[in-house]
C-alpha cells in the first residue's frame, strides 16, 4: 500500500488563503493560483487566465464543473444500485450532486441477455450503469479500467491484479479532481462472504478518505493542477442489525449489531415530483436497467408505504459534526454537505482521535478533540467529552476563539474503571459549542483485558487486521470473525496468539472451551512473560473426536462450532469468541477401471457416496426440486467423479459457444485444491460443466471449462486431458455427469491426505438465464471462492506429488475508457482523465472539422502531441463506426470513419475521439450534422 511518510493522526495540510479577485494574476503562476484557491475563488481568480492553456484538470477546478457533494466508490457497474433511492431524493430535494467511481466495468460477470463477454460486455454494462444512475440525477461515472477477472473472496488477490498503488492513485486522483464532501462505499471489512473486489474497492475508498488530503501522497497529481483535498465524511452503504419499515423507520432508528455503530437512513418511499412516483419505484427502474445481470426480472418494491424500507448507511468516519441519525432522511449528509439546525457553521471541522483503540481498566487513553473554523472565526469555543457511565474524563475543553481557517485542539485522558467488561464496543461523544451553535462527533472504542488470546487468523484475514491497525481504523474489525477449519474426524495443530495490550509484561493463563466432540490438547496452558504491547504464540492440538457431528452448514449456527479462548492476566479475565468450521471428509476407494460414459457401473466407483443436496445460497428447495449424489474414485493418474442430480425443471439450454458463467442455468462445479492449502482459488482447479446445450432446436451434448481458478477457459484449451460425459433424462427429472481429471492437469502436486474438494450444483427453473438455488457438499456462503472451507478428500496409498505450483493465468483484458464513447463524452465535458489517468492539455486533441459523407464521416483532427487516436461514431447507445488505435504525430490528421449502421430513431449521431500516450489522455466530442 502507500508508504505513510507521517502518522495519519497528523492533520491534513490546510488550504492557503485565496487571493482576492483584484489580485494581479501576472505575478502569480497559474498552478499556484489554482492549487491555493477555494472552489468559489477559482472562478473569479481564473477569469484573467487563458483557460485553453490550462490542463483539463485545472480547467475543471477553475469552473467547478465536477465539484461533487457525494462520491460513491464501488467495484462493478451495479454496486451502487441499492443507494440510488437515497441519492436520487438528495439530488431532487437538496440539490446534492453525486458521482460514481467504478473500478471495473464488470466484464468478468455474467450476461443474461446475449453472448457478449470481456471488454464488449464491459461497455454494455457501463451503458447500463449510466442509464441506472441517471434516474438519480447522477451524471459523472468514472470507470478506472481495472480488470474484472473472476469471482473471488480475496482482497489481496484483487489488490495485486488491479495494480495496487496504481489503482489507488487513480481513485485519489478522481477524489482530488471532484472534491466530494462525502464518500460512500461498500463494506471494507473481511466479513464472511464479502466479495474480494467489493472489499478492495472499499479499502481504496477508506485510504482515499484518509490520504487524499496529504501532500506527501501521490504528489505527482499536483503537477496536473490538482491539490490535496480531504473529504469530510465516509459512509458504508448498508448496515448490520435490524430496523423497521415505513415512513417512520428513520425516526424510529436502527438497532445495530455492533453497539458503537452509528447508522443513518433515508426512507425509499418518499414521493418524487420529478418522476411522478415514489423513489422506491424509481429505484426499481434503475435496478431493472442492469439487464445483463438478470436484474430486469427482479420483483418490484412494496407499494404499501408501511412496508417500504429505508436505505441505511453506516458511519465509518467523519471530520465534521454529525446529526442525530433519527433526525431525518438527510442526517447522513448533515454537517458535511448540509447544515445542521442549531449547529456550528457548515464547513466547521470537529475531529476526535485517540492514541489507541482498546480501553483497558485503569489505564488512561489520550483523546484529542480538534475544532477547525470555516471561512470566519468561531468565538468562545468549548468542547466536552462524554464517556460511558463510570468512566473518568480529565482535561480542559476551553479553546477560546478559533481563528478563520485554523484549528485548535483539546486533549483529554479517558479511563475505564476497574471491573469494565472486556470485549464491549463503546462510543465516546464530543460536543463543541460556539456562540450560536453546537456540534457533536463520536469515536468508537473497544474494551479489553490486559491480555487477550485467540486462534491465529488465516493469512488474508491477518493482512486485513494489519491494514486497519496501520490506518488506525480498527473499528472496521468488529464484524470480522476468526474461523478456522477442521476436517470431520481429523486433528490439526493451530497457533494461539496471546496479545498483551498493557504497558508491562504479563504472565497469562489460557483456557480453550470447545463443544462436545471437539477437544483441545492441552485445554489449558500457562504463558509467561508476554512482552508489553507485544505478543507470544503457542500451539494447541484440536481434534474432532466425534465424526458424527454435522458438517458444513448442516451444523447449527450456519456450521460454525463455538470456540472460546479465555486469557487471565493481572486479575482480569478476557474471553474471545471464535469459531471452528467442521467440513465434510471423504476417504475414496481406488477403482479397477472407469469408462467415462455417464453410466456408473457397479464396480467402477467402490466406496461411499457423498450427499450434494445441501442449500448454501438462494431459494429453499425440496429434494425433488434439486438434490444430488456424488461418487469419487481414483487410479494412479486420474481422479474420477460421477454426479447424479435430481431436478424438476430444466433451466435455459445455452448454446455450446456460451460455455461460461454457467451458474446462470443448470450446471455443476467440481473444485479441487491439490494440497489443501490455498488462500484463494487462483491456485486451484475448478471444472464447470453444462450437462446439455442448445443445438438445432434440441438438446446437444455437454460442454465444460475452467472458471475462477488457476487458468480459465474451455476445457480443450485449459485442461485437454479432461474427459466428460453427460446424460439428461427424458422425461426430465435430472441428469448424470461423469468426468476424468488427470492429476497432471492440476495446478500443483497433490497431497493425497489433504486434498481440498467440493461439488456444487446450480439450479435454475427459468428460461431467463438466471439461477435460483445453489446446493452442494461443503456448504457455506460464497463457498465457490473459499477453498479454506472446501471438504477434505483423501486418496489412500497414492504417492504424494512433489510441490510444483503453476503460475496462475488471470484475465487481464479490461474494457478501457479510451474505447468507451460514454466515458469519452463525459471526459470531453468535465476535463477529467479517461480511466482516472492524467488529463493532457486541452489543445492536445481538437476536432477541427467533421463532415458527413455518403459512407460515413470525414474528420480533421489536430493533435498537440504524438500518440494513439481512436474515433467512434455513436448514437448514445450503439457504436456505429470505428477507427481504432491509429498512431499519429503532432499535427493534423484527416480520417474517414465508416458508418456501419444508422442511429436509432430520434437519436443523433456523435463523433467521439480519444487520444492517449504515456503522459495521459485527452477526449473530444461533437454532434455530426
Amino acid at each position: 500500500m502507500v508508504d505513510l511518510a507521517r502518522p495519519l493522526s497528523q492533520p491534513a495540510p490546510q488550504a492557503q488563503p485565496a487571493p482576492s479577485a483584484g489580485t494581479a494574476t501576472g505575478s502569480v503562476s497559474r498552478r499556484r493560483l489554482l492549487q491555493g484557491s477555494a472552489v468559489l475563488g477559482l472562478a473569479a481568480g481564473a477569469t484573467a487566465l487563458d483557460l485553453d492553456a490550462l490542463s483539463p484538470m485545472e480547467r475543471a477546478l477553475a469552473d467547478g464543473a465536477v465539484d461533487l457533494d457525494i462520491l460513491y466508490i464501488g467495484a462493478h457497474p451495479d454496486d451502487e444500485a441499492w443507494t440510488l433511492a437515497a441519492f436520487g431524493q438528495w439530488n431532487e430535494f437538496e440539490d446534492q450532486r453525486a458521482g460514481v467511481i467504478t473500478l471495473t466495468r464488470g466484464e468478468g460477470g455474467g450476461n443474461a441477455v446475449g453472448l457478449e463477454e470481456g471488454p464488449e460486455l464491459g461497455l454494455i454494462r457501463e451503458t447500463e450503469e449510466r442509464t441506472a444512475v441517471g434516474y438519480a440525477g447522477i451524471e459523472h461515472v468514472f470507470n478506472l479500467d481495472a480488470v474484472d477477472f473472476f469471482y473471488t473472496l480475496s482482497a489481496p488477490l484483487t489488490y495485486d491484479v488491479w495494480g495496487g498503488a496504481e489503482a489507488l492513485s487513480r481513485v485519489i486522483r478522481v477524489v482530488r479532481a471532484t472534491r466530494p464532501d462525502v464518500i460512500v462505499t461498500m463494506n471494507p471489512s473481511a466479513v464472511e462472504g464479502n466479495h474480494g473486489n467489493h472489499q478492495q474497492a472499499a479499502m481504496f475508498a477508506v485510504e482515499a478518505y484518509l490520504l487524499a488530503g496529504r501532500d506527501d501522497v501521490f504528489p505527482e497529481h499536483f503537477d496536473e493542477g490538482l491539490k490535496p483535498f480531504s473529504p469530510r465524511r465516509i459512509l458504508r452503504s448498508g448496515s448490520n442489525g435490524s430496523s423497521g419499515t415505513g415512513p417512520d423507520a428513520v425516526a424510529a432508528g436502527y438497532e445495530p449489531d455492533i453497539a458503537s455503530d452509528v447508522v443513518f437512513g433515508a426512507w425509499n418511499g418518499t414521493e418524487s415530483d420529478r418522476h411522478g412516483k415514489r423513489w422506491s419505484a424509481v429505484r426499481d427502474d434503475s435496478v431493472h436497467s442492469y439487464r445483463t445481470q438478470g436484474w430486469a426480472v427482479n420483483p418490484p418494491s412494496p407499494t404499501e408505504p408501511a412496508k417500504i424500507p429505508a436505505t441505511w448507511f453506516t458511519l465509518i468516519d467523519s471530520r465534521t459534526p454529525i446529526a442525530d441519525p433519527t433526525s431525518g432522511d438527510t442526517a447522513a449528509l448533515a454537517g458535511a454537505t448540509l447544515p445542521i439546525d442549531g449547529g456550528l457553521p457548515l464547513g466547521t471541522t470537529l475531529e476526535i482521535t485517540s492514541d489507541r483503540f482498546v480501553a483497558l481498566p485503569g489505564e488512561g487513553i489520550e483523546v484529542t478533540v480538534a475544532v477547525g473554523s470555516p471561512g470566519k472565526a468561531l468565538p468562545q469555543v468549548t468542547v466536552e467529552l462524554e464517556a460511558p457511565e463510570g468512566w473518568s474524563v480529565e482535561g480542559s475543553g476551553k479553546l477560546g476563539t478559533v481563528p478563520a481557517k485554523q484549528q485548535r485542539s483539546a486533549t483529554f485522558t479517558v479511563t475505564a474503571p476497574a471491573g469494565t467488561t472486556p470485549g464491549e464496543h463503546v462510543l465516546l461523544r464530543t460536543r463543541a459549542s460556539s456562540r450560536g451553535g453546537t456540534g457533536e462527533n463520536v469515536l468508537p472504542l473497544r474494551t479489553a483485558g490486559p491480555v487477550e488470546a485467540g486462534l491465529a487468523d488465516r493469512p488474508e484475514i491477518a493482512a486485513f487486521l494489519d491494514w486497519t491497525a496501520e490506518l488506525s481504523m480498527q473499528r472496521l474489525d468488529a464484524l470480522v470473525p476468526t474461523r478456522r477449519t477442521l476436517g470431520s474426524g481429523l486433528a490439526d495443530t493451530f497457533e494461539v496468539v496471546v496479545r498483551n495490550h498493557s504497558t508491562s509484561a504479563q504472565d497469562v493463563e489460557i483456557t480453550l472451551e470447545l463443544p462436545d466432540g471437539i477437544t483441545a490438547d492441552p485445554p489449558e496452558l500457562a504463558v509467561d512473560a508476554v512482552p508489553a504491547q507485544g505478543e507470544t504464540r503457542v500451539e494447541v492440538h484440536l481434534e474432532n473426536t466425534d465424526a458424527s457431528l454435522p458438517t458444513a452448514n448442516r451444523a447449527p449456527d450456519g456450521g460454525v462450532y463455538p470456540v472460546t479462548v479465555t486469557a487471565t492476566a493481572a486479575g482480569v479475565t478476557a474471553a474471545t469468541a471464535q469459531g471452528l468450521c467442521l467440513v465434510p471428509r471423504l476417504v475414496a476407494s481406488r477403482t479397477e477401471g472407469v469408462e467415462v460414459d455417464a453410466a456408473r457401473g457397479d464396480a467402477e466407483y467402490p466406496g461411499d457416496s457423498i450427499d450434494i443436496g445441501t442449500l448454501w445460497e438462494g431459494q429453499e428447495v425440496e429434494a425433488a426440486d434439486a438434490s444430488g449424489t456424488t461418487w469419487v474414485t481414483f487410479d494412479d493418474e486420474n481422479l474420477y467423479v460421477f454426479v447424479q442430480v435430481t431436478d424438476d425443471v430444466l433451466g435455459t439450454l445455452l448454446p455450446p459457444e456460451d460455455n461460461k458463467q454457467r451458474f446462470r442455468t443448470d450446471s455443476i462445479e467440481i473444485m479441487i485444491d491439490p494440497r489443501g492449502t490455498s488462500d484463494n482459488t487462483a491456485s486451484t482447479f475448478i471444472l464447470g460443466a453444462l450437462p446439455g446445450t442448445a443445438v438445432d432446436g434440441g438438446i446437444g451434448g455437454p460442454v465444460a471449462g475452467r472458471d475462477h481458478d488457476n487458468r480459465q477457459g474451455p476445457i480443450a484449451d485449459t485442461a485437454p486431458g479432461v474427459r466428460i460425459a453427460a446424460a439428461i433424462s427424458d422425461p426430465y427429472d435430472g441428469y448424470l455427469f461423469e468426468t476424468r481429471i488427470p492429476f497432471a492437469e492440476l495446478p500443483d502436486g497433490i497431497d493425497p491426505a489433504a486434498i481440498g474438494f467440493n461439488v456444487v450444483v446450480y439450479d435454475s427453473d427459468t428460461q431467463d438465464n438466471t439461477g435460483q438455488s445453489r446446493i452442494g457438499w461443503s456448504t457455506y456462503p460464497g463457498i465457490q471462492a473459499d477453498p479454506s472451507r472446501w471438504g477434505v478428500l483423501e486418496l489412500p496409498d497414492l504417492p504424494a506429488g512433489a510441490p510444483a505450483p503453476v503460475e496462475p493465468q488471470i484475465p487481464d483484458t479490461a474494457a478501457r475508457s479510451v474505447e468507451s464513447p460514454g466515458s469519452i463524452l463525459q471526459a470531453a465535458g468535465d476535463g477529467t482523465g479517461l480511466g482516472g489517468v492524467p488529463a493532457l492539455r486541452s489543445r492536445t486533441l481538437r476536432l477541427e472539422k467533421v463532415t458527413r459523407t455518403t459512407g460515413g464521416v470525414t474528420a480533421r483532427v489536430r493533435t498537440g502531441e504524438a500518440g494513439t487516436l481512436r474515433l467512434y461514431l455513436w448514437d448514445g447507445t450503439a457504436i456505429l463506426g470505428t477507427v481504432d488505435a491509429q498512431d499519429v504525430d503532432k499535427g493534423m490528421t484527416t480520417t474517414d470513419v465508416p458508418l456501419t449502421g444508422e442511429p436509432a430513431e430520434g437519436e443523433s449521431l456523435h463523433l467521439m475521439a480519444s487520444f492517449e500516450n504515456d503522459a495521459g489522455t485527452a477526449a473530444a466530442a461533437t454532434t455530426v450534422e
Side-chain angles (χ1 to χ4, degrees), residues 40 52 59 86 115 167 173 179 308 325 404 413 630 647 650 691 756 844 848 853:
L40 294 178
D52 285 338
R59 294 185 67 188
L115 297 178
R173 180 180 282 111
R179 293 156 294 164
I308 299 175
T413 299
T630 292
D647 183 26
L650 181 63
T844 302
E848 296 281 351
T853 63

Side-chain angles (χ1 to χ4, degrees), residues 241-255:
S242 59
S243 68
T245 59
D248 298 326
V250 172
Y254 190 92
E255 188 67 32

Side-chain angles (χ1 to χ4, degrees), residues 77 79 105 118 154 173-174 208 396 430 437 446 545 564 579 601 642 912:
D79 290 342
R105 285 181 172 80
S154 175
R173 180 180 282 111
V174 174
S396 173
T430 187
R446 182 176 66 83
T545 54
T564 302
F642 191 96
M912 307 292 169

Side-chain angles (χ1 to χ4, degrees), residues 744-757:
E745 298 287 8
L746 301 181
D748 203 347
I750 64 167
D751 178 351
I755 296 172
F757 182 78

Side-chain angles (χ1 to χ4, degrees), residues 316-446:
I316 295 178
D317 192 63
S318 183
R319 294 184 168 105
T320 61
I322 62 172
D324 177 355
T326 66
S327 61
D329 291 339
T330 60
L333 307 181
T337 71
L338 298 172
I340 299 174
D341 290 341
L344 298 169
L346 187 63
T348 300
T349 60
L350 177 59
E351 301 181 71
I352 175 171
T353 58
S354 62
D355 63 350
R356 66 172 184 264
F357 177 66
V358 294
L360 309 182
E363 288 196 13
I365 295 179
E366 186 175 286
V367 177
T368 300
V369 178
V371 179
S373 68
K376 61 180 182 179
L378 290 174
Q380 302 174 10
V381 177
T382 61
V383 295
E384 301 172 2
L385 189 63
E386 178 184 315
E389 184 177 356
W391 292 40
S392 66
V393 177
E394 298 177 355
S396 173
K398 294 182 179 180
L399 300 183
T401 296
V402 180
K405 297 186 179 179
Q406 293 189 28
Q407 191 177 76
R408 295 287 185 268
S409 62
T411 300
F412 301 87
T413 299
V414 179
T415 306
T420 298
T421 302
E424 293 186 343
H425 294 272
V426 299
L427 274 179
L428 300 184
R429 188 177 302 272
T430 187
R431 181 176 297 101
S433 303
S434 180
R435 190 167 57 201
T438 61
E440 294 188 358
N441 204 351
V442 295
L443 177 69
L445 299 175
R446 182 176 66 83

Side-chain angles (χ1 to χ4, degrees), residues 312-693:
W312 299 102
F313 301 90
T314 302
L315 180 69
I316 295 178
D317 192 63
S318 183
R319 294 184 168 105
T320 61
I322 62 172
D324 177 355
T326 66
S327 61
D329 291 339
T330 60
L333 307 181
T337 71
L338 298 172
I340 299 174
D341 290 341
L344 298 169
L346 187 63
T348 300
T349 60
L350 177 59
E351 301 181 71
I352 175 171
T353 58
S354 62
D355 63 350
R356 66 172 184 264
F357 177 66
V358 294
L360 309 182
E363 288 196 13
I365 295 179
E366 186 175 286
V367 177
T368 300
V369 178
V371 179
S373 68
K376 61 180 182 179
L378 290 174
Q380 302 174 10
V381 177
T382 61
V383 295
E384 301 172 2
L385 189 63
E386 178 184 315
E389 184 177 356
W391 292 40
S392 66
V393 177
E394 298 177 355
S396 173
K398 294 182 179 180
L399 300 183
T401 296
V402 180
K405 297 186 179 179
Q406 293 189 28
Q407 191 177 76
R408 295 287 185 268
S409 62
T411 300
F412 301 87
T413 299
V414 179
T415 306
T420 298
T421 302
E424 293 186 343
H425 294 272
V426 299
L427 274 179
L428 300 184
R429 188 177 302 272
T430 187
R431 181 176 297 101
S433 303
S434 180
R435 190 167 57 201
T438 61
E440 294 188 358
N441 204 351
V442 295
L443 177 69
L445 299 175
R446 182 176 66 83
T447 62
V451 178
E452 293 179 312
L455 299 178
D457 292 289
R458 292 190 300 108
E460 294 200 348
I461 301 297
F464 172 77
L465 300 178
D466 288 344
W467 176 82
T468 63
E470 179 186 9
L471 299 180
S472 298
M473 293 295 288
Q474 294 98 324
R475 66 197 69 178
L476 300 175
D477 300 348
L479 292 166
V480 178
T482 297
R483 292 173 180 169
R484 302 302 302 269
T485 300
L486 185 64
S488 177
L490 296 177
D492 203 352
T493 298
F494 296 87
E495 280 191 325
V496 174
V497 181
V498 187
R499 293 186 176 91
N500 183 359
H501 300 297
S502 75
T503 56
S504 59
Q506 299 285 347
D507 296 334
V508 189
E509 295 180 358
I510 306 294
T511 302
L512 283 85
E513 182 181 344
L514 298 153
D516 292 341
I518 302 174
T519 62
D521 183 20
E524 299 177 355
L525 59 162
V527 182
D528 296 332
V530 180
Q533 298 183 340
E535 67 178 40
T536 297
R537 292 175 179 246
V538 294
E539 290 186 343
V540 64
H541 192 72
L542 301 185
E543 183 176 1
N544 172 214
T545 54
D546 180 0
S548 69
L549 290 179
T551 61
N553 67 354
R554 293 172 284 272
D557 299 318
V560 179
Y561 286 91
V563 175
T564 302
V565 183
T566 301
T568 301
V572 178
T573 297
T576 301
Q578 299 183 307
L580 192 66
C581 296
L582 198 61
V583 300
R585 170 188 176 216
L586 173 66
V587 180
S589 299
R590 181 184 286 268
T591 185
E592 296 183 358
V594 172
E595 181 179 354
V596 180
D597 56 3
R600 185 174 61 87
D602 291 339
E604 288 184 316
Y605 289 85
D608 296 333
S609 64
I610 57 176
D611 181 357
I612 58 170
T614 301
L615 184 75
W616 55 277
E617 234 172 63
Q619 299 174 8
E620 293 286 345
V621 289
E622 300 292 337
D625 178 24
S627 58
T629 305
T630 292
W631 291 261
V632 181
T633 190
F634 66 99
D635 57 27
D636 286 341
E637 297 180 347
N638 306 284
L639 187 72
Y640 300 91
V641 182
F642 191 96
V643 182
Q644 176 180 312
V645 175
T646 299
D647 183 26
D648 61 343
V649 177
L650 181 63
T652 306
L653 287 171
L654 300 175
E657 60 269 25
D658 198 8
N659 177 26
K660 59 185 183 297
Q661 306 294 342
R662 300 165 198 87
F663 55 80
R664 296 171 289 159
T665 190
D666 291 316
S667 61
I668 64 169
E669 282 185 344
I670 297 169
M671 306 169 183
I672 303 172
D673 179 6
R675 307 193 70 79
T677 57
S678 294
D679 289 326
N680 57 66
T681 60
S683 53
T684 70
F685 178 99
I686 299 177
L687 176 70
L690 299 170
T693 52

Side-chain angles (χ1 to χ4, degrees), residues 97-358:
R97 298 183 69 193
V100 175
I101 285 178
T102 303
L103 268 295
T104 81
R105 285 181 172 80
E107 60 273 343
N111 186 353
V113 296
L115 297 178
E116 297 88 354
E117 58 181 321
E120 187 179 7
L121 173 60
L123 294 180
I124 295 172
R125 293 193 65 183
E126 178 188 346
T127 299
E128 292 177 344
E129 179 178 36
R130 291 183 182 276
T131 299
V133 302
Y135 284 100
I138 296 173
E139 300 174 349
H140 298 281
V141 177
F142 303 94
N143 295 101
L144 301 192
D145 295 357
V147 65
D148 181 27
F149 51 101
F150 54 66
Y151 177 70
T152 180
L153 297 183
S154 175
L157 178 65
T158 301
Y159 180 87
D160 290 341
V161 173
W162 283 357
E166 169 58 27
L168 176 60
S169 173
R170 294 188 182 200
V171 173
I172 288 181
R173 180 180 282 111
V174 174
V175 170
R176 286 170 170 168
T178 60
R179 293 156 294 164
D181 294 313
V182 176
I183 289 177
V184 181
T185 191
M186 311 186 80
N187 191 345
S189 297
V191 297
E192 183 180 60
N194 196 4
H195 194 311
N197 289 181
H198 295 170
Q199 183 190 349
Q200 186 57 60
M203 291 170 72
F204 282 149
V206 171
E207 290 176 316
Y209 169 81
L210 294 171
L211 302 176
R214 287 182 35 174
D215 57 9
D216 61 339
V217 174
F218 302 121
E220 64 272 20
H221 294 176
F222 311 139
D223 293 332
E224 304 162 20
L226 299 175
K227 63 178 182 179
F229 176 81
S230 295
R232 296 173 177 176
R233 186 170 298 163
I234 182 168
L235 303 168
R236 170 168 72 92
S237 170
S239 51
N240 294 84
S242 59
S243 68
T245 59
D248 298 326
V250 172
Y254 190 92
E255 188 67 32
D257 290 341
I258 304 300
S260 58
D261 277 355
V262 176
V263 182
F264 302 96
W267 186 52
N268 295 342
T270 302
E271 292 281 357
S272 170
D273 297 331
R274 179 187 298 167
H275 295 281
K277 59 177 77 172
R278 295 184 187 275
W279 268 107
S280 52
V282 179
R283 192 192 70 175
D284 290 343
D285 295 337
S286 295
V287 168
H288 293 158
S289 300
Y290 303 102
R291 297 180 62 248
T292 59
Q293 303 312 291
W295 290 10
V297 298
N298 279 19
S301 298
T303 56
E304 184 180 341
K307 295 182 180 180
I308 299 175
T311 299
W312 299 102
F313 301 90
T314 302
L315 180 69
I316 295 178
D317 192 63
S318 183
R319 294 184 168 105
T320 61
I322 62 172
D324 177 355
T326 66
S327 61
D329 291 339
T330 60
L333 307 181
T337 71
L338 298 172
I340 299 174
D341 290 341
L344 298 169
L346 187 63
T348 300
T349 60
L350 177 59
E351 301 181 71
I352 175 171
T353 58
S354 62
D355 63 350
R356 66 172 184 264
F357 177 66
V358 294

